[in-house]
């Protein structure tokens, strides 16, 4: 695919994530957003980044962040993709957009309702 940057266009396979000052400051909100979308897309297409070594290296650097590791260990599992998408916590409680319980909060990786 083709990705457009401020200076023109480049192939995704050749794009290298930023280095230098931005990397020293740590990941940005955009990094977490992209990580989230790539991680979800890989549920359907596990080999999505096979031809993109720079993105694979970036994803592994993101995944190695200690606080992100903790979140990934506790987060609910996405299931029902393409039918009735939902998130299921470690206790088997599943929340979808149509859940009748009302407001749901995620605390320590578990769903809490209307507290």
């Amino acid at each position: 695919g083709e990705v457009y940057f401020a200076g023109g266009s480049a192939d995704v396979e050749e794009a290298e994530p930023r280095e230098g000052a931005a990397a020293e400051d740590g990941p940005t909100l955009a990094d977490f957003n992209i990580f989230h979308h790539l991680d979800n897309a890989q549920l359907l297409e596990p080999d999505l980044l096979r031809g993109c070594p720079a993105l694979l290296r970036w994803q592994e650097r993101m995944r190695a962040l200690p606080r992100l590791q903790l979140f990934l260990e506790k987060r609910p599992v996405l299931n029902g993709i393409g039918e009735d998408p939902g998130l299921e916590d470690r206790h088997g409680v599943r929340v979808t957009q149509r859940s009748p319980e009302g407001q749901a909060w995620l605390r320590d990786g578990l769903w809490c309702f209307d507290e």
Side-chain angles (χ1 to χ4, degrees), residues 38-85:
L38 286 175
D39 197 50
N40 282 344
Q42 287 172 299
L43 292 173
L44 296 174
E45 294 287 338
D47 294 329
L48 180 69
L49 299 180
R50 183 175 22 166
C52 305
L55 283 174
L56 280 169
R57 287 190 303 274
W58 169 84
Q59 187 180 45
E60 288 309 311
R61 287 194 307 269
M62 289 292 292
R63 198 176 297 280
L65 296 170
R67 289 181 62 192
L68 184 55
Q69 279 181 351
L70 288 174
F71 170 77
L72 294 174
E73 290 169 6
K74 293 181 178 182
R75 75 173 171 180
V77 175
L78 176 61
N79 57 30
I81 300 170
E83 297 167 9
D84 185 23

Side-chain angles (χ1 to χ4, degrees), residues 7-20:
S9 67
D11 287 330
V12 171
E13 291 82 6
E14 296 174 5
E16 184 70 34
R18 288 185 310 190
E19 303 280 339

